[in-house]
Each structure stands twice: as C-alpha cells, then as structure tokens.
Amino acid sequence: MPDFALFTLLNEPNVLWVIVGVCFLAIAMSCVGTFAWLNRQSLIGDAMAHCALPGIAAAFLFSQSRHPLILLPVAIFSSLLGNMLMNWLIQRSKLPADSALAIVLSGFFAFGALLLSVIQKLPIAGKSGIDQMLFGQAAAVDDTDAIILIIITSLVLLVITVIMSRLRMIIFDTNYSQSIGINVSLYKQIMGVLIAICVVTGIQIVGVILVSALLIFPAINARQWSHHLRSLLFIAIISALIASVSGVLVSYHYSHMPTGPWVVVFLALILITSLLFSPHGFLIKRIKIHQRQIIIHAENVIRVIYLLNKTNKEAKFTLHDIININSMPLKMIKKGLTYAIRQNWVTDDTHSGYRLTQLGTAKAQIITRHHRLWEQYLSQNKQFSTQNLHLSAEYAEHIIDDELADSLDEFLGHPSKDPHGQSIPSKL
Amino acid sequence: MVLDSSLILLYLIALLASLCCALSGSLLTVQKKAMLGDAISHSSLLGLVLAYLISGERSIPYMLLGALIAGIGTAYMTEKLKNSLRIQYDAALGVLFTTSFALAVILISQYARQVDLDQHCVLFGEIALAPFDTILFGDHDLGPRALWTLSIAFVLNIIVITLCWNRIKATLFSANFVQSIGLKKNYWQQLCSILVAITTVSAFESVGAILVVALLVIPSNTARLFAKTSLVRYIGYSLLFALIATVMGISLSLWLDTAIAATIATVLFMNFLLINYIKMNLNPHNKSLP
C-alpha cells in the first residue's frame, strides 16, 4: 500500500531532517513572499535569486571552497547589491519596475555565468558541480543544514513580527506612512534583506528558478480566501507547509525524483483548488450566478401565473399557458418551476396544472409592485418610451428590495396606477 | 584569431539573434512586460520535453513547435489569469513559468534515460555549437539551422512591427492615451505575445535563456534613454546597441576564452549601466529629482 509506505518513510532520520528543513524554509518564504506580493513585487524573488550567482561564483573563485558559510554571505551580499541597483534604476533613472527587474536579473546572471566559465577553465579542485547549486538539492539537507534553516526562519519571523505593524501601514498607504514620518525606505531595505536571505538559502534546496515559486504561490493562494493580513499570513504558511511535506514525501517515495519541483507542483495544485473553490473562486462564482438565474426564472414564472390569475379565475395553468404570456425558453421555465415548487410558491396538482400558493401569491405581488413602481418612476422622471419601460423593469424587479420600493413609493407620492394604467399592488 | 567560416557563421547567428530580440524587446518594453521573455524561455522547457516524449525522437521541428506552443500558452494564460481571475500580471507570470518548469524537471528526471535535455542547457545555452548544427536537404548542406529559424523570426518581427507601427508609436507616447481613446488592445497584444514567443524560442535554443532575456530587455531600455518620443530613433538605437554589444561580446569572449552568450549579455549590461550613468550626469534635471 503506497499510503502506508509513505508513513514508514518518516521513521528515517534523513527524511525527517529534509522535511524539517524544507518546512522551516517554506514558513519563512511564505511570510516574506506575502509582503513582497502585497508590495506588488512578486518577481523580486526571481530577480534576487539570479543575482546571487555572481556572488556564489566569486566566492568560490577566491576561497576555492564550497562551504556554505563562505558562499552564503557573499551570495546574499550579491543579491542585495542587485536589489539596490534595481531600486536605484527605478528611482533615479525612472526605469519602469519590470524593466529594471529584467535588466538586473539578466545582467547579474550573465556576469555570474561568465565567472563560472572562467572557473571551468581554471585548475581548481571541486569545481565540477558548482553550477549544480543552481538547481537545488533538497535531499542533501542534513541535521546541520536543518538547524541553520531553523535559525534563519526564527530570525526572519522575529524581524517580521517586530516590524509588522509598520509594514502593514506602508503596504496600505505608502505616501501617508511617509507623511507621518515612517522611514519607508528603511523598511523596504529590511524587507530586501529578508528576501535575499530567504531566497539565497532557498536556492540550495529548490533551485534558482523555482525558489520564486515559494514566495509567490502561498501569497496568491491565501489571497483567494482572506482579506486580512494575519489570516493571509496564516493561510499562506499552512498551504506552503502542506505542499512542502507532500513534495518531500512524494520525491522520496518515487526514487530519483527531485524535491523542489514536486513542492512547486503541489503548491500549484493547492492554488488551482483555491482558484476554483474559494468563496470568490471560479466555480463558486459560477454556481452563485447559476442559482441567481434560477431564482430569477422562478420569479418570472410566478409573476406570469399571478398575471394569469387576474384575467382567468381558473387559477390552474399548464406550461402552455405560461409560454403564451412569457416567451422564455422552455428549459428556463421548467427550471424556474422546479425551484418555485421547492420553495412552496407553486403547487403542482397531479400534473393538471400549476397553482400559486398563498406564499407564492404574496411573493408575486411584491415583484409586481416593484415592477410597476419602477415603471412609474422611469416614466415620471426619465422620459422613457413605453417599450423600454417594460424591459428595464423586467431587470429591476429582481433587484429592488423592500426598502428601495418603499422609498420609491414615497418619492412618487404613493401612486395607485402604473404608466400602462394597471394598478400597483399595495404593500403586504 | 583566425576568421574561418564557422566563426563568421557564429557572428552571423549572434547578430541575427540580437537583432530579432532587440525588435521584439522594444515591443515588450513599450508594453511594460519585460519579464514575459524570461517566463516564456523558462516555460518552453516543458514544451521541449513534451514534444520530445510524444514524438519519441529528437526531431527539431517537433521540439520547436512544442516550445512555441508552450511559449504562446504562457503568454495567453498570463493574460487570462490577469483579466478573469484578477491576479497581478507579474505574479501570474511567476506562477505559470515556475509550474511549467517544475513539471518539465519532473518529466526529465522520470524519463532521464530517454531525454538528453537538462535545465542546464536551457539556462546557459551554448552558441558556440550553433554553427555546426546544420540542415541537410538531400545531399546539400543548407547552412546552420539556427540561421534559418532566426532569419524567419527576423522577417516576422519586421512584418509585425510594420503592421503595428502606429499602435506602437501611440503606446510609446502614452499607454494611458491609447487606452483612453478606446483602441482595442486584445488583437495587437496577442500578436505581440506570439511574436515574442517565436523570437524567444528561436533565439534561446541557440543562445540560452539568460542571453535572450538580456537581449530582449537591455537594448530597448538603453535606447529609451535617448529616444523618448521618436519611434524610429527608439528602434534604431535598440538595434544599434544590440549590434555593438554583440560584436564586442563575441570578440571579448574569444580573447578572454569565456562563455560567448554570458559575455555578450555582460557587455550589454555594462554598456547599459555606463550609458545610463553618463546620461544622468550630463543631464542636470535628472539628478535633482528624487
């Protein structure tokens, strides 16, 4: 059983360290990424990851060692340099942000690649595979790496908690924050440092290209569910954690599978689910629109029966009668009728015909009142032609609520007849 | 340094690639979509891998087609995500290219024995090998394949830019103005995206993703420092800067014995920084502005 096998993996200390390491990295990156995303700097992580390459290459060239404690600080410094250059280009030479990002990204990375090609030509021991650092090796995380990741994450979270209220203010309104004396550029620089630290540590685990996914995905995902900063951060962290654990487990279960890409794939799956099923998501929106349409059909149908009731005292009507008055497609009428029966607006007397219940009559009366009040309002105040009056009221009758109807009634001086000469039903 | 035929071909390929990219890049810069080229070049790895797995052989036309479809798909999906789900443009780009890159890496490691592609070749590319990858038609050697694909891309670029001349001019002058007079954006934006995808794919398989991004973005932004309103000067300067940097880059890399693509891109970047710096110091108005 595959499920069972997945959980036995947890007993191996090696896997445990990888999971711990990746999870802590995911926590730090999703927090930092949420702020970057809110600042409309989604791709800054991508740029800063590429900017780390010349740092890595230069550090290796001069120290001839691959120890992370030598390479990491230089790499972080190099990506901070890239960030500063980006800000300088945007502020001083008025470059659009996206151009500055792409220029610095490609320029720094190209310089790094140049240094790498120099390294390849030199007789240095251990030079092979220095460029493999760019593609990440999550499986190589051991206990020391995991502890370094835990320390980095705690530091990042600590800094974010301390400056969170200020950051929130800057994101909400940068100009206002500046005007009340908050040092905006200082906080932006702090964020830059945090992003650099996270991204450079992330490169070793998921690789230079995929590291920006850990920044962007959790933020967009959380945004589908919440509008509040705290819950945004919370949801971002949770989704990143789920994706990391699943990614690590899958990559271990099927051997020769890279961890980073699997984490990204799980992040993407979570995002797709959110986009479809969140309260403002694609599917839910469609369902809501569909339901609203059915209610409108039902309201149209009971209004037709209500109007038929006025002329014909039989009080029972077949589908044919309804279609004669209202030229809706049959499918819509049927859907509307089903809904109306479920709502107990209409009874279906052994298929001999449809009859309005007391509830349905009241509902239809209210809709008719809205319809005619609206017609009256348009003809008195907006000089609509009679045909347009009806069309507009067909839409408005479903939207107007009781409060608006009352104020319309008062505004028009409690009219008793609509422009077609039909009486406006009174309020119940 | 001996000027043999393969070296001349190398110069030709690099120059064509940089001209193509400079033309497409000027469109991207005008539309403020500089990162699109980066995203397309990364996500086309998925197209390459899928085409490779489906066709079962390293057949170049299939792989180019696959990369092209992936590239156009990325551009199209980004617009979709931005417009119908209201995700920021660059966030949508980031989401799409990382996902397709991740899928591509997974597929590569799953079918490692069948696919001799890797992330490395996408990122760095090796233009030095491009002159030796020739097309054979019957017994005739028709010259390097990259030369052909890049020539086609170049002609397409010129056609599209001529067709959209007025539109680009208006957008360069003011993007808000173009929106305010109600010109329909969809048609020409999609045309531009397809053009960028064609250029990116045909260039990056010979010169590598990073050089493509540099060639797309840097010349047009350098040109923008000089030509704020004149489209002829804007495109002319872009082409000029691309040409100068390419020739300088290749010569420098042959002299220093470094990777060609990386050297060209570095020279482009250094030229940009230098020109930007000089321009700012010559123009006192720019200096005082915060």
PDB file of all heavy atoms in Angstrom, chain A residues 196-226:
ATOM      1  N   ALA A 196      16.416  38.521   0.442  1.00  0.00           N
ATOM      2  CA  ALA A 196      17.708  37.994  -0.014  1.00  0.00           C
ATOM      3  C   ALA A 196      18.109  36.775   0.796  1.00  0.00           C
ATOM      4  O   ALA A 196      18.515  35.748   0.232  1.00  0.00           O
ATOM      5  CB  ALA A 196      18.786  39.073   0.087  1.00  0.00           C
ATOM      6  N   ILE A 197      17.983  36.880   2.138  1.00  0.00           N
ATOM      7  CA  ILE A 197      18.374  35.749   2.986  1.00  0.00           C
ATOM      8  C   ILE A 197      17.556  34.507   2.629  1.00  0.00           C
ATOM      9  O   ILE A 197      18.092  33.413   2.415  1.00  0.00           O
ATOM     10  CB  ILE A 197      18.189  36.106   4.475  1.00  0.00           C
ATOM     11  CG1 ILE A 197      19.199  37.193   4.860  1.00  0.00           C
ATOM     12  CG2 ILE A 197      18.379  34.881   5.357  1.00  0.00           C
ATOM     13  CD1 ILE A 197      19.001  37.720   6.253  1.00  0.00           C
ATOM     14  N   CYS A 198      16.220  34.703   2.547  1.00  0.00           N
ATOM     15  CA  CYS A 198      15.351  33.558   2.260  1.00  0.00           C
ATOM     16  C   CYS A 198      15.669  32.953   0.909  1.00  0.00           C
ATOM     17  O   CYS A 198      15.792  31.728   0.768  1.00  0.00           O
ATOM     18  CB  CYS A 198      13.891  33.998   2.236  1.00  0.00           C
ATOM     19  SG  CYS A 198      13.247  34.302   3.846  1.00  0.00           S
ATOM     20  N   VAL A 199      15.790  33.810  -0.107  1.00  0.00           N
ATOM     21  CA  VAL A 199      15.961  33.309  -1.466  1.00  0.00           C
ATOM     22  C   VAL A 199      17.283  32.566  -1.603  1.00  0.00           C
ATOM     23  O   VAL A 199      17.345  31.481  -2.171  1.00  0.00           O
ATOM     24  CB  VAL A 199      15.881  34.484  -2.459  1.00  0.00           C
ATOM     25  CG1 VAL A 199      16.460  34.098  -3.775  1.00  0.00           C
ATOM     26  CG2 VAL A 199      14.446  34.911  -2.637  1.00  0.00           C
ATOM     27  N   VAL A 200      18.347  33.144  -1.033  1.00  0.00           N
ATOM     28  CA  VAL A 200      19.653  32.509  -1.198  1.00  0.00           C
ATOM     29  C   VAL A 200      19.697  31.166  -0.485  1.00  0.00           C
ATOM     30  O   VAL A 200      20.231  30.183  -1.015  1.00  0.00           O
ATOM     31  CB  VAL A 200      20.768  33.456  -0.713  1.00  0.00           C
ATOM     32  CG1 VAL A 200      22.089  32.733  -0.684  1.00  0.00           C
ATOM     33  CG2 VAL A 200      20.855  34.646  -1.630  1.00  0.00           C
ATOM     34  N   THR A 201      19.080  31.084   0.722  1.00  0.00           N
ATOM     35  CA  THR A 201      19.035  29.770   1.373  1.00  0.00           C
ATOM     36  C   THR A 201      18.159  28.832   0.558  1.00  0.00           C
ATOM     37  O   THR A 201      18.448  27.629   0.467  1.00  0.00           O
ATOM     38  CB  THR A 201      18.463  29.843   2.801  1.00  0.00           C
ATOM     39  OG1 THR A 201      17.832  31.084   2.974  1.00  0.00           O
ATOM     40  CG2 THR A 201      19.518  29.637   3.832  1.00  0.00           C
ATOM     41  N   GLY A 202      17.081  29.389  -0.032  1.00  0.00           N
ATOM     42  CA  GLY A 202      16.163  28.544  -0.792  1.00  0.00           C
ATOM     43  C   GLY A 202      16.792  27.970  -2.045  1.00  0.00           C
ATOM     44  O   GLY A 202      16.442  26.873  -2.465  1.00  0.00           O
ATOM     45  N   ILE A 203      17.725  28.727  -2.653  1.00  0.00           N
ATOM     46  CA  ILE A 203      18.338  28.258  -3.906  1.00  0.00           C
ATOM     47  C   ILE A 203      18.948  26.873  -3.725  1.00  0.00           C
ATOM     48  O   ILE A 203      18.791  25.995  -4.563  1.00  0.00           O
ATOM     49  CB  ILE A 203      19.438  29.232  -4.380  1.00  0.00           C
ATOM     50  CG1 ILE A 203      18.815  30.528  -4.860  1.00  0.00           C
ATOM     51  CG2 ILE A 203      20.236  28.620  -5.518  1.00  0.00           C
ATOM     52  CD1 ILE A 203      19.839  31.551  -5.249  1.00  0.00           C
ATOM     53  N   GLN A 204      19.623  26.665  -2.572  1.00  0.00           N
ATOM     54  CA  GLN A 204      20.291  25.378  -2.377  1.00  0.00           C
ATOM     55  C   GLN A 204      19.303  24.246  -2.292  1.00  0.00           C
ATOM     56  O   GLN A 204      19.657  23.099  -2.495  1.00  0.00           O
ATOM     57  CB  GLN A 204      21.069  25.395  -1.071  1.00  0.00           C
ATOM     58  CG  GLN A 204      22.003  26.543  -0.954  1.00  0.00           C
ATOM     59  CD  GLN A 204      22.555  26.549   0.429  1.00  0.00           C
ATOM     60  OE1 GLN A 204      23.419  25.763   0.751  1.00  0.00           O
ATOM     61  NE2 GLN A 204      22.024  27.419   1.268  1.00  0.00           N
ATOM     62  N   ILE A 205      18.045  24.566  -1.946  1.00  0.00           N
ATOM     63  CA  ILE A 205      17.089  23.490  -1.727  1.00  0.00           C
ATOM     64  C   ILE A 205      16.185  23.273  -2.929  1.00  0.00           C
ATOM     65  O   ILE A 205      15.979  22.146  -3.360  1.00  0.00           O
ATOM     66  CB  ILE A 205      16.290  23.777  -0.448  1.00  0.00           C
ATOM     67  CG1 ILE A 205      17.275  23.698   0.707  1.00  0.00           C
ATOM     68  CG2 ILE A 205      15.168  22.781  -0.264  1.00  0.00           C
ATOM     69  CD1 ILE A 205      16.714  23.990   2.010  1.00  0.00           C
ATOM     70  N   VAL A 206      15.624  24.353  -3.504  1.00  0.00           N
ATOM     71  CA  VAL A 206      14.711  24.141  -4.630  1.00  0.00           C
ATOM     72  C   VAL A 206      15.261  24.648  -5.948  1.00  0.00           C
ATOM     73  O   VAL A 206      14.631  24.451  -6.982  1.00  0.00           O
ATOM     74  CB  VAL A 206      13.333  24.773  -4.369  1.00  0.00           C
ATOM     75  CG1 VAL A 206      12.624  24.043  -3.273  1.00  0.00           C
ATOM     76  CG2 VAL A 206      13.448  26.237  -4.072  1.00  0.00           C
ATOM     77  N   GLY A 207      16.388  25.339  -5.942  1.00  0.00           N
ATOM     78  CA  GLY A 207      16.953  25.797  -7.204  1.00  0.00           C
ATOM     79  C   GLY A 207      16.596  27.229  -7.530  1.00  0.00           C
ATOM     80  O   GLY A 207      15.625  27.765  -7.017  1.00  0.00           O
ATOM     81  N   VAL A 208      17.386  27.824  -8.419  1.00  0.00           N
ATOM     82  CA  VAL A 208      17.308  29.259  -8.637  1.00  0.00           C
ATOM     83  C   VAL A 208      16.009  29.674  -9.323  1.00  0.00           C
ATOM     84  O   VAL A 208      15.479  30.758  -9.084  1.00  0.00           O
ATOM     85  CB  VAL A 208      18.558  29.720  -9.434  1.00  0.00           C
ATOM     86  CG1 VAL A 208      18.514  29.233 -10.847  1.00  0.00           C
ATOM     87  CG2 VAL A 208      18.706  31.209  -9.392  1.00  0.00           C
ATOM     88  N   ILE A 209      15.461  28.806 -10.152  1.00  0.00           N
ATOM     89  CA  ILE A 209      14.259  29.198 -10.893  1.00  0.00           C
ATOM     90  C   ILE A 209      13.007  28.967 -10.072  1.00  0.00           C
ATOM     91  O   ILE A 209      12.073  29.768 -10.084  1.00  0.00           O
ATOM     92  CB  ILE A 209      14.196  28.433 -12.225  1.00  0.00           C
ATOM     93  CG1 ILE A 209      15.340  28.915 -13.112  1.00  0.00           C
ATOM     94  CG2 ILE A 209      12.887  28.661 -12.929  1.00  0.00           C
ATOM     95  CD1 ILE A 209      15.678  28.002 -14.213  1.00  0.00           C
ATOM     96  N   LEU A 210      12.994  27.865  -9.330  1.00  0.00           N
ATOM     97  CA  LEU A 210      11.775  27.523  -8.616  1.00  0.00           C
ATOM     98  C   LEU A 210      11.664  28.240  -7.281  1.00  0.00           C
ATOM     99  O   LEU A 210      10.613  28.222  -6.653  1.00  0.00           O
ATOM    100  CB  LEU A 210      11.709  26.006  -8.403  1.00  0.00           C
ATOM    101  CG  LEU A 210      11.660  25.239  -9.719  1.00  0.00           C
ATOM    102  CD1 LEU A 210      11.568  23.760  -9.467  1.00  0.00           C
ATOM    103  CD2 LEU A 210      10.496  25.694 -10.558  1.00  0.00           C
ATOM    104  N   VAL A 211      12.756  28.896  -6.827  1.00  0.00           N
ATOM    105  CA  VAL A 211      12.702  29.495  -5.499  1.00  0.00           C
ATOM    106  C   VAL A 211      11.648  30.594  -5.438  1.00  0.00           C
ATOM    107  O   VAL A 211      10.983  30.787  -4.419  1.00  0.00           O
ATOM    108  CB  VAL A 211      14.098  29.994  -5.088  1.00  0.00           C
ATOM    109  CG1 VAL A 211      14.445  31.290  -5.747  1.00  0.00           C
ATOM    110  CG2 VAL A 211      14.191  30.127  -3.602  1.00  0.00           C
ATOM    111  N   SER A 212      11.426  31.267  -6.567  1.00  0.00           N
ATOM    112  CA  SER A 212      10.433  32.346  -6.515  1.00  0.00           C
ATOM    113  C   SER A 212       9.018  31.789  -6.357  1.00  0.00           C
ATOM    114  O   SER A 212       8.131  32.489  -5.885  1.00  0.00           O
ATOM    115  CB  SER A 212      10.533  33.221  -7.749  1.00  0.00           C
ATOM    116  OG  SER A 212      10.336  32.463  -8.893  1.00  0.00           O
ATOM    117  N   ALA A 213       8.827  30.524  -6.726  1.00  0.00           N
ATOM    118  CA  ALA A 213       7.502  29.926  -6.539  1.00  0.00           C
ATOM    119  C   ALA A 213       7.134  29.878  -5.065  1.00  0.00           C
ATOM    120  O   ALA A 213       5.986  30.128  -4.691  1.00  0.00           O
ATOM    121  CB  ALA A 213       7.483  28.512  -7.121  1.00  0.00           C
ATOM    122  N   LEU A 214       8.121  29.582  -4.206  1.00  0.00           N
ATOM    123  CA  LEU A 214       7.852  29.511  -2.771  1.00  0.00           C
ATOM    124  C   LEU A 214       7.445  30.878  -2.223  1.00  0.00           C
ATOM    125  O   LEU A 214       6.784  30.961  -1.201  1.00  0.00           O
ATOM    126  CB  LEU A 214       9.084  29.011  -2.024  1.00  0.00           C
ATOM    127  CG  LEU A 214       9.318  27.512  -2.051  1.00  0.00           C
ATOM    128  CD1 LEU A 214      10.610  27.180  -1.346  1.00  0.00           C
ATOM    129  CD2 LEU A 214       8.163  26.796  -1.371  1.00  0.00           C
ATOM    130  N   LEU A 215       7.866  31.948  -2.901  1.00  0.00           N
ATOM    131  CA  LEU A 215       7.452  33.280  -2.458  1.00  0.00           C
ATOM    132  C   LEU A 215       6.054  33.624  -2.959  1.00  0.00           C
ATOM    133  O   LEU A 215       5.244  34.193  -2.226  1.00  0.00           O
ATOM    134  CB  LEU A 215       8.428  34.343  -2.983  1.00  0.00           C
ATOM    135  CG  LEU A 215       9.806  34.443  -2.359  1.00  0.00           C
ATOM    136  CD1 LEU A 215      10.631  35.447  -3.129  1.00  0.00           C
ATOM    137  CD2 LEU A 215       9.709  34.883  -0.917  1.00  0.00           C
ATOM    138  N   ILE A 216       5.784  33.306  -4.227  1.00  0.00           N
ATOM    139  CA  ILE A 216       4.548  33.817  -4.857  1.00  0.00           C
ATOM    140  C   ILE A 216       3.323  32.976  -4.530  1.00  0.00           C
ATOM    141  O   ILE A 216       2.287  33.494  -4.127  1.00  0.00           O
ATOM    142  CB  ILE A 216       4.699  33.862  -6.388  1.00  0.00           C
ATOM    143  CG1 ILE A 216       5.959  34.610  -6.787  1.00  0.00           C
ATOM    144  CG2 ILE A 216       3.501  34.534  -7.015  1.00  0.00           C
ATOM    145  CD1 ILE A 216       6.243  34.506  -8.264  1.00  0.00           C
ATOM    146  N   PHE A 217       3.449  31.648  -4.702  1.00  0.00           N
ATOM    147  CA  PHE A 217       2.268  30.788  -4.613  1.00  0.00           C
ATOM    148  C   PHE A 217       1.494  30.933  -3.306  1.00  0.00           C
ATOM    149  O   PHE A 217       0.281  31.144  -3.341  1.00  0.00           O
ATOM    150  CB  PHE A 217       2.657  29.318  -4.817  1.00  0.00           C
ATOM    151  CG  PHE A 217       2.708  28.891  -6.247  1.00  0.00           C
ATOM    152  CD1 PHE A 217       3.880  28.983  -6.962  1.00  0.00           C
ATOM    153  CD2 PHE A 217       1.585  28.417  -6.874  1.00  0.00           C
ATOM    154  CE1 PHE A 217       3.939  28.593  -8.282  1.00  0.00           C
ATOM    155  CE2 PHE A 217       1.634  28.018  -8.201  1.00  0.00           C
ATOM    156  CZ  PHE A 217       2.817  28.114  -8.902  1.00  0.00           C
ATOM    157  N   PRO A 218       2.164  30.811  -2.128  1.00  0.00           N
ATOM    158  CA  PRO A 218       1.376  30.871  -0.899  1.00  0.00           C
ATOM    159  C   PRO A 218       0.595  32.173  -0.782  1.00  0.00           C
ATOM    160  O   PRO A 218      -0.556  32.177  -0.338  1.00  0.00           O
ATOM    161  CB  PRO A 218       2.431  30.754   0.211  1.00  0.00           C
ATOM    162  CG  PRO A 218       3.573  30.092  -0.427  1.00  0.00           C
ATOM    163  CD  PRO A 218       3.585  30.574  -1.834  1.00  0.00           C
ATOM    164  N   ALA A 219       1.209  33.286  -1.229  1.00  0.00           N
ATOM    165  CA  ALA A 219       0.530  34.575  -1.100  1.00  0.00           C
ATOM    166  C   ALA A 219      -0.722  34.632  -1.959  1.00  0.00           C
ATOM    167  O   ALA A 219      -1.803  35.005  -1.477  1.00  0.00           O
ATOM    168  CB  ALA A 219       1.485  35.695  -1.490  1.00  0.00           C
ATOM    169  N   ILE A 220      -0.599  34.239  -3.230  1.00  0.00           N
ATOM    170  CA  ILE A 220      -1.776  34.294  -4.105  1.00  0.00           C
ATOM    171  C   ILE A 220      -2.845  33.342  -3.602  1.00  0.00           C
ATOM    172  O   ILE A 220      -4.041  33.660  -3.595  1.00  0.00           O
ATOM    173  CB  ILE A 220      -1.412  33.907  -5.550  1.00  0.00           C
ATOM    174  CG1 ILE A 220      -0.314  34.807  -6.072  1.00  0.00           C
ATOM    175  CG2 ILE A 220      -2.611  34.021  -6.454  1.00  0.00           C
ATOM    176  CD1 ILE A 220       0.107  34.454  -7.469  1.00  0.00           C
ATOM    177  N   ASN A 221      -2.399  32.181  -3.153  1.00  0.00           N
ATOM    178  CA  ASN A 221      -3.329  31.197  -2.636  1.00  0.00           C
ATOM    179  C   ASN A 221      -4.112  31.762  -1.459  1.00  0.00           C
ATOM    180  O   ASN A 221      -5.344  31.697  -1.415  1.00  0.00           O
ATOM    181  CB  ASN A 221      -2.531  29.962  -2.218  1.00  0.00           C
ATOM    182  CG  ASN A 221      -3.411  28.874  -1.733  1.00  0.00           C
ATOM    183  OD1 ASN A 221      -4.481  28.665  -2.279  1.00  0.00           O
ATOM    184  ND2 ASN A 221      -2.977  28.210  -0.692  1.00  0.00           N
ATOM    185  N   ALA A 222      -3.396  32.377  -0.496  1.00  0.00           N
ATOM    186  CA  ALA A 222      -4.060  32.911   0.692  1.00  0.00           C
ATOM    187  C   ALA A 222      -5.022  34.033   0.314  1.00  0.00           C
ATOM    188  O   ALA A 222      -6.089  34.185   0.903  1.00  0.00           O
ATOM    189  CB  ALA A 222      -3.021  33.423   1.680  1.00  0.00           C
ATOM    190  N   ARG A 223      -4.647  34.811  -0.689  1.00  0.00           N
ATOM    191  CA  ARG A 223      -5.471  35.950  -1.082  1.00  0.00           C
ATOM    192  C   ARG A 223      -6.848  35.510  -1.570  1.00  0.00           C
ATOM    193  O   ARG A 223      -7.810  36.278  -1.514  1.00  0.00           O
ATOM    194  CB  ARG A 223      -4.739  36.724  -2.175  1.00  0.00           C
ATOM    195  CG  ARG A 223      -5.352  38.042  -2.529  1.00  0.00           C
ATOM    196  CD  ARG A 223      -5.292  38.973  -1.327  1.00  0.00           C
ATOM    197  NE  ARG A 223      -5.889  40.252  -1.639  1.00  0.00           N
ATOM    198  CZ  ARG A 223      -7.193  40.455  -1.665  1.00  0.00           C
ATOM    199  NH1 ARG A 223      -8.002  39.469  -1.391  1.00  0.00           N
ATOM    200  NH2 ARG A 223      -7.679  41.632  -1.970  1.00  0.00           N
ATOM    201  N   GLN A 224      -6.950  34.266  -2.065  1.00  0.00           N
ATOM    202  CA  GLN A 224      -8.251  33.784  -2.524  1.00  0.00           C
ATOM    203  C   GLN A 224      -9.211  33.561  -1.365  1.00  0.00           C
ATOM    204  O   GLN A 224     -10.409  33.494  -1.549  1.00  0.00           O
ATOM    205  CB  GLN A 224      -8.112  32.464  -3.298  1.00  0.00           C
ATOM    206  CG  GLN A 224      -7.109  32.488  -4.427  1.00  0.00           C
ATOM    207  CD  GLN A 224      -7.386  33.600  -5.402  1.00  0.00           C
ATOM    208  OE1 GLN A 224      -8.521  33.835  -5.802  1.00  0.00           O
ATOM    209  NE2 GLN A 224      -6.342  34.323  -5.774  1.00  0.00           N
ATOM    210  N   TRP A 225      -8.661  33.423  -0.159  1.00  0.00           N
ATOM    211  CA  TRP A 225      -9.504  33.062   0.972  1.00  0.00           C
ATOM    212  C   TRP A 225      -9.711  34.203   1.947  1.00  0.00           C
ATOM    213  O   TRP A 225     -10.659  34.197   2.720  1.00  0.00           O
ATOM    214  CB  TRP A 225      -8.898  31.881   1.729  1.00  0.00           C
ATOM    215  CG  TRP A 225      -8.816  30.653   0.896  1.00  0.00           C
ATOM    216  CD1 TRP A 225      -7.740  30.228   0.182  1.00  0.00           C
ATOM    217  CD2 TRP A 225      -9.851  29.702   0.651  1.00  0.00           C
ATOM    218  NE1 TRP A 225      -8.035  29.071  -0.484  1.00  0.00           N
ATOM    219  CE2 TRP A 225      -9.328  28.721  -0.212  1.00  0.00           C
ATOM    220  CE3 TRP A 225     -11.177  29.579   1.085  1.00  0.00           C
ATOM    221  CZ2 TRP A 225     -10.073  27.649  -0.656  1.00  0.00           C
ATOM    222  CZ3 TRP A 225     -11.903  28.493   0.644  1.00  0.00           C
ATOM    223  CH2 TRP A 225     -11.355  27.547  -0.212  1.00  0.00           C
ATOM    224  N   SER A 226      -8.802  35.157   1.988  1.00  0.00           N
ATOM    225  CA  SER A 226      -8.891  36.129   3.069  1.00  0.00           C
ATOM    226  C   SER A 226      -8.472  37.516   2.611  1.00  0.00           C
ATOM    227  O   SER A 226      -7.765  37.679   1.615  1.00  0.00           O
ATOM    228  CB  SER A 226      -8.008  35.689   4.229  1.00  0.00           C
ATOM    229  OG  SER A 226      -7.912  36.731   5.152  1.00  0.00           O
TER     230      SER A 226
END
